[in-house]
Amino acid sequence: MSAEQRKSGAFKFTFWTFLALLLIYYAWHSYSSGQMINWYYWEAAADGYAVNANTFKEATKEKPMILEIGPHAEITGLQAVPVKKGERLPIGCNGIISKKELEEGKRVKLEDDRIVVMVPMQVKEAKGFKYKDTYKHKGIKTNPWSGAWNVAWVLALGVCLGYSAEGFTDLFGLKLKKIEHYGH
């Protein structure tokens, strides 16, 4: 193998590995900054109150938790933000308590300017399967572009890692034979 081919292989390996590392960093930053979470919890799919369901999961009928209703830009603690269908959700929201559930008053109820949470989770059965029905992920609509972003990112990372591997084999002069497939 000539020095020129090794130099070309080293450049290819370095360039594509650097791009792969940039893509990995971008994905990690997108996750750690909360961008991915904000894309998942994008819009309200129903009229109701945006909440962070993790804050009241210990509520019981004997010891209910009370959520203060207000126009918060970020949900921290026991808070609820009124939202209409199609509105962007506030930061920290991971579910919606619908107005229909408040009217029923079985699990949650509206008292003055507060929401009283009595049953944050109940076991239900549908089509023979039991599942936990919580307010987490309920009543939300995800960003339609987030799925396309994930697919594009995975494809770009695959291309970068593929060319990086090709540069690695060129760098060390490895010649791998392709398998020939014969059709019958």
Side-chain angles (χ1 to χ4, degrees):
M1 173 174 245
S2 71
E4 186 63 34
Q5 286 175 325
R6 284 191 174 190
K7 187 177 178 183
S8 173
F11 177 76
K12 184 190 273 188
F13 174 72
T14 305
F15 176 77
W16 289 105
T17 301
F18 178 73
L19 280 180
L21 291 173
L22 278 177
L23 283 172
I24 291 169
Y25 170 77
Y26 177 70
W28 179 256
H29 174 71
S30 179
Y31 174 75
S32 62
S33 70
Q35 177 190 17
M36 283 186 187
I37 293 169
N38 288 337
W39 277 9
Y40 186 80
Y41 301 112
W42 182 254
E43 289 181 350
D47 292 345
Y49 294 89
V51 296
N52 182 342
N54 296 332
T55 60
F56 55 80
K57 60 184 174 184
E58 302 297 323
T60 63
K61 285 189 177 189
E62 296 78 32
K63 193 174 178 185
M65 293 200 172
I66 298 172
L67 307 177
E68 296 297 326
I69 298 172
H72 310 287
E74 181 174 357
I75 297 175
T76 55
L78 296 170
Q79 297 174 332
V81 178
V83 291
K84 295 200 182 307
K85 184 176 181 175
E87 284 184 2
R88 281 294 309 268
L89 296 174
I91 296 169
C93 167
N94 64 9
I96 303 284
I97 296 176
S98 69
K99 291 190 176 190
K100 179 183 169 192
E101 290 203 39
L102 287 167
E103 290 168 3
E104 288 175 4
K106 295 177 184 175
R107 295 176 62 188
V108 290
K109 62 183 175 182
L110 193 60
E111 285 184 0
D112 302 326
D113 287 338
R114 303 178 302 182
I115 296 174
V116 179
V117 181
M118 301 164 292
V119 183
M121 185 277 302
Q122 64 185 16
V123 177
K124 288 187 173 180
E125 188 172 338
K127 298 181 183 177
F129 292 99
K130 291 185 179 183
Y131 66 96
K132 290 181 181 179
D133 182 27
T134 66
Y135 290 106
K136 192 166 185 176
H137 311 305
K138 203 174 218 179
I140 61 159
K141 182 180 175 190
T142 60
N143 182 342
W145 288 103
S146 64
W149 179 89
N150 285 330
V151 170
W153 180 87
V154 168
L155 288 174
L157 183 63
V159 167
C160 289
L161 291 175
Y163 280 124
S164 176
E166 187 177 291
F168 183 79
T169 58
D170 291 350
L171 175 65
F172 291 105
L174 300 172
K175 292 292 176 194
L176 304 173
K177 290 184 180 182
K178 292 184 179 180
I179 298 172
E180 292 188 31
H181 299 279
Y182 298 100
H184 289 69

PDB file of all heavy atoms in Angstrom, residues 52-68:
ATOM      1  N   ASN A  52     -47.432  18.304  35.652  1.00  0.00           N
ATOM      2  CA  ASN A  52     -46.316  17.374  35.742  1.00  0.00           C
ATOM      3  C   ASN A  52     -46.810  16.227  36.620  1.00  0.00           C
ATOM      4  O   ASN A  52     -46.898  16.355  37.835  1.00  0.00           O
ATOM      5  CB  ASN A  52     -45.082  18.034  36.341  1.00  0.00           C
ATOM      6  CG  ASN A  52     -43.892  17.094  36.387  1.00  0.00           C
ATOM      7  OD1 ASN A  52     -44.028  15.880  36.294  1.00  0.00           O
ATOM      8  ND2 ASN A  52     -42.718  17.667  36.546  1.00  0.00           N
ATOM      9  N   ALA A  53     -47.158  15.112  35.995  1.00  0.00           N
ATOM     10  CA  ALA A  53     -47.774  13.986  36.706  1.00  0.00           C
ATOM     11  C   ALA A  53     -46.845  13.347  37.728  1.00  0.00           C
ATOM     12  O   ALA A  53     -47.307  12.651  38.623  1.00  0.00           O
ATOM     13  CB  ALA A  53     -48.247  12.938  35.703  1.00  0.00           C
ATOM     14  N   ASN A  54     -45.545  13.586  37.612  1.00  0.00           N
ATOM     15  CA  ASN A  54     -44.603  13.015  38.580  1.00  0.00           C
ATOM     16  C   ASN A  54     -44.735  13.662  39.954  1.00  0.00           C
ATOM     17  O   ASN A  54     -44.359  13.060  40.952  1.00  0.00           O
ATOM     18  CB  ASN A  54     -43.169  13.170  38.084  1.00  0.00           C
ATOM     19  CG  ASN A  54     -42.920  12.401  36.811  1.00  0.00           C
ATOM     20  OD1 ASN A  54     -43.564  11.394  36.549  1.00  0.00           O
ATOM     21  ND2 ASN A  54     -42.002  12.890  36.005  1.00  0.00           N
ATOM     22  N   THR A  55     -45.251  14.873  40.018  1.00  0.00           N
ATOM     23  CA  THR A  55     -45.309  15.597  41.294  1.00  0.00           C
ATOM     24  C   THR A  55     -46.433  15.143  42.203  1.00  0.00           C
ATOM     25  O   THR A  55     -46.381  15.380  43.402  1.00  0.00           O
ATOM     26  CB  THR A  55     -45.446  17.119  41.062  1.00  0.00           C
ATOM     27  OG1 THR A  55     -46.657  17.367  40.337  1.00  0.00           O
ATOM     28  CG2 THR A  55     -44.260  17.676  40.314  1.00  0.00           C
ATOM     29  N   PHE A  56     -47.460  14.488  41.651  1.00  0.00           N
ATOM     30  CA  PHE A  56     -48.584  14.090  42.502  1.00  0.00           C
ATOM     31  C   PHE A  56     -48.865  12.590  42.453  1.00  0.00           C
ATOM     32  O   PHE A  56     -49.960  12.148  42.757  1.00  0.00           O
ATOM     33  CB  PHE A  56     -49.850  14.882  42.163  1.00  0.00           C
ATOM     34  CG  PHE A  56     -50.276  14.814  40.722  1.00  0.00           C
ATOM     35  CD1 PHE A  56     -50.965  13.712  40.231  1.00  0.00           C
ATOM     36  CD2 PHE A  56     -50.005  15.866  39.864  1.00  0.00           C
ATOM     37  CE1 PHE A  56     -51.373  13.654  38.914  1.00  0.00           C
ATOM     38  CE2 PHE A  56     -50.413  15.826  38.549  1.00  0.00           C
ATOM     39  CZ  PHE A  56     -51.103  14.712  38.074  1.00  0.00           C
ATOM     40  N   LYS A  57     -47.874  11.798  42.129  1.00  0.00           N
ATOM     41  CA  LYS A  57     -48.129  10.356  42.025  1.00  0.00           C
ATOM     42  C   LYS A  57     -48.333   9.674  43.378  1.00  0.00           C
ATOM     43  O   LYS A  57     -48.771   8.547  43.441  1.00  0.00           O
ATOM     44  CB  LYS A  57     -47.030   9.662  41.224  1.00  0.00           C
ATOM     45  CG  LYS A  57     -45.645   9.766  41.769  1.00  0.00           C
ATOM     46  CD  LYS A  57     -44.665   9.115  40.808  1.00  0.00           C
ATOM     47  CE  LYS A  57     -43.241   9.339  41.261  1.00  0.00           C
ATOM     48  NZ  LYS A  57     -42.302   8.810  40.309  1.00  0.00           N
ATOM     49  N   GLU A  58     -48.046  10.356  44.478  1.00  0.00           N
ATOM     50  CA  GLU A  58     -48.241   9.798  45.822  1.00  0.00           C
ATOM     51  C   GLU A  58     -49.614  10.155  46.410  1.00  0.00           C
ATOM     52  O   GLU A  58     -49.895   9.814  47.550  1.00  0.00           O
ATOM     53  CB  GLU A  58     -47.140  10.308  46.762  1.00  0.00           C
ATOM     54  CG  GLU A  58     -45.724   9.980  46.305  1.00  0.00           C
ATOM     55  CD  GLU A  58     -45.447   8.489  46.250  1.00  0.00           C
ATOM     56  OE1 GLU A  58     -45.948   7.752  47.127  1.00  0.00           O
ATOM     57  OE2 GLU A  58     -44.741   8.066  45.322  1.00  0.00           O
ATOM     58  N   ALA A  59     -50.442  10.854  45.653  1.00  0.00           N
ATOM     59  CA  ALA A  59     -51.756  11.277  46.163  1.00  0.00           C
ATOM     60  C   ALA A  59     -52.678  10.078  46.391  1.00  0.00           C
ATOM     61  O   ALA A  59     -52.606   9.081  45.673  1.00  0.00           O
ATOM     62  CB  ALA A  59     -52.405  12.244  45.184  1.00  0.00           C
ATOM     63  N   THR A  60     -53.523  10.191  47.403  1.00  0.00           N
ATOM     64  CA  THR A  60     -54.539   9.165  47.691  1.00  0.00           C
ATOM     65  C   THR A  60     -55.856   9.868  48.009  1.00  0.00           C
ATOM     66  O   THR A  60     -55.886  11.088  48.212  1.00  0.00           O
ATOM     67  CB  THR A  60     -54.127   8.298  48.898  1.00  0.00           C
ATOM     68  OG1 THR A  60     -54.038   9.127  50.054  1.00  0.00           O
ATOM     69  CG2 THR A  60     -52.812   7.581  48.649  1.00  0.00           C
ATOM     70  N   LYS A  61     -56.937   9.089  48.129  1.00  0.00           N
ATOM     71  CA  LYS A  61     -58.226   9.687  48.496  1.00  0.00           C
ATOM     72  C   LYS A  61     -58.173  10.245  49.906  1.00  0.00           C
ATOM     73  O   LYS A  61     -58.793  11.257  50.208  1.00  0.00           O
ATOM     74  CB  LYS A  61     -59.344   8.653  48.374  1.00  0.00           C
ATOM     75  CG  LYS A  61     -59.734   8.375  46.959  1.00  0.00           C
ATOM     76  CD  LYS A  61     -60.979   7.519  46.877  1.00  0.00           C
ATOM     77  CE  LYS A  61     -61.342   7.341  45.410  1.00  0.00           C
ATOM     78  NZ  LYS A  61     -62.626   6.722  45.223  1.00  0.00           N
ATOM     79  N   GLU A  62     -57.425   9.565  50.780  1.00  0.00           N
ATOM     80  CA  GLU A  62     -57.298  10.030  52.165  1.00  0.00           C
ATOM     81  C   GLU A  62     -56.378  11.249  52.271  1.00  0.00           C
ATOM     82  O   GLU A  62     -56.547  12.093  53.141  1.00  0.00           O
ATOM     83  CB  GLU A  62     -56.747   8.917  53.061  1.00  0.00           C
ATOM     84  CG  GLU A  62     -57.641   7.704  53.198  1.00  0.00           C
ATOM     85  CD  GLU A  62     -57.570   6.767  51.978  1.00  0.00           C
ATOM     86  OE1 GLU A  62     -56.490   6.683  51.354  1.00  0.00           O
ATOM     87  OE2 GLU A  62     -58.601   6.159  51.660  1.00  0.00           O
ATOM     88  N   LYS A  63     -55.382  11.303  51.389  1.00  0.00           N
ATOM     89  CA  LYS A  63     -54.407  12.396  51.426  1.00  0.00           C
ATOM     90  C   LYS A  63     -54.217  12.944  50.003  1.00  0.00           C
ATOM     91  O   LYS A  63     -53.215  12.694  49.361  1.00  0.00           O
ATOM     92  CB  LYS A  63     -53.078  11.877  51.978  1.00  0.00           C
ATOM     93  CG  LYS A  63     -52.113  12.950  52.351  1.00  0.00           C
ATOM     94  CD  LYS A  63     -50.885  12.343  53.013  1.00  0.00           C
ATOM     95  CE  LYS A  63     -49.899  13.441  53.334  1.00  0.00           C
ATOM     96  NZ  LYS A  63     -48.657  12.907  53.858  1.00  0.00           N
ATOM     97  N   PRO A  64     -55.213  13.700  49.524  1.00  0.00           N
ATOM     98  CA  PRO A  64     -55.115  14.231  48.149  1.00  0.00           C
ATOM     99  C   PRO A  64     -54.062  15.337  48.045  1.00  0.00           C
ATOM    100  O   PRO A  64     -53.683  15.948  49.040  1.00  0.00           O
ATOM    101  CB  PRO A  64     -56.512  14.784  47.891  1.00  0.00           C
ATOM    102  CG  PRO A  64     -57.063  15.086  49.232  1.00  0.00           C
ATOM    103  CD  PRO A  64     -56.451  14.109  50.180  1.00  0.00           C
ATOM    104  N   MET A  65     -53.601  15.553  46.827  1.00  0.00           N
ATOM    105  CA  MET A  65     -52.645  16.635  46.565  1.00  0.00           C
ATOM    106  C   MET A  65     -53.372  17.731  45.799  1.00  0.00           C
ATOM    107  O   MET A  65     -54.230  17.462  44.963  1.00  0.00           O
ATOM    108  CB  MET A  65     -51.446  16.118  45.801  1.00  0.00           C
ATOM    109  CG  MET A  65     -50.615  15.167  46.607  1.00  0.00           C
ATOM    110  SD  MET A  65     -48.973  15.042  45.928  1.00  0.00           S
ATOM    111  CE  MET A  65     -48.200  14.076  47.197  1.00  0.00           C
ATOM    112  N   ILE A  66     -52.991  18.964  46.094  1.00  0.00           N
ATOM    113  CA  ILE A  66     -53.678  20.115  45.516  1.00  0.00           C
ATOM    114  C   ILE A  66     -52.737  20.834  44.555  1.00  0.00           C
ATOM    115  O   ILE A  66     -51.616  21.191  44.923  1.00  0.00           O
ATOM    116  CB  ILE A  66     -54.166  21.062  46.626  1.00  0.00           C
ATOM    117  CG1 ILE A  66     -55.172  20.302  47.511  1.00  0.00           C
ATOM    118  CG2 ILE A  66     -54.775  22.311  46.037  1.00  0.00           C
ATOM    119  CD1 ILE A  66     -55.586  21.032  48.749  1.00  0.00           C
ATOM    120  N   LEU A  67     -53.219  21.058  43.332  1.00  0.00           N
ATOM    121  CA  LEU A  67     -52.453  21.763  42.305  1.00  0.00           C
ATOM    122  C   LEU A  67     -52.981  23.187  42.181  1.00  0.00           C
ATOM    123  O   LEU A  67     -54.171  23.397  42.008  1.00  0.00           O
ATOM    124  CB  LEU A  67     -52.587  21.052  40.952  1.00  0.00           C
ATOM    125  CG  LEU A  67     -52.270  19.553  40.897  1.00  0.00           C
ATOM    126  CD1 LEU A  67     -52.536  19.026  39.504  1.00  0.00           C
ATOM    127  CD2 LEU A  67     -50.847  19.300  41.300  1.00  0.00           C
ATOM    128  N   GLU A  68     -52.081  24.133  42.263  1.00  0.00           N
ATOM    129  CA  GLU A  68     -52.440  25.543  42.090  1.00  0.00           C
ATOM    130  C   GLU A  68     -52.515  25.856  40.598  1.00  0.00           C
ATOM    131  O   GLU A  68     -51.583  25.584  39.851  1.00  0.00           O
ATOM    132  CB  GLU A  68     -51.402  26.453  42.761  1.00  0.00           C
ATOM    133  CG  GLU A  68     -51.328  26.306  44.267  1.00  0.00           C
ATOM    134  CD  GLU A  68     -52.611  26.705  44.983  1.00  0.00           C
ATOM    135  OE1 GLU A  68     -53.291  27.641  44.509  1.00  0.00           O
ATOM    136  OE2 GLU A  68     -52.932  26.066  45.994  1.00  0.00           O
TER     137      GLU A  68
END
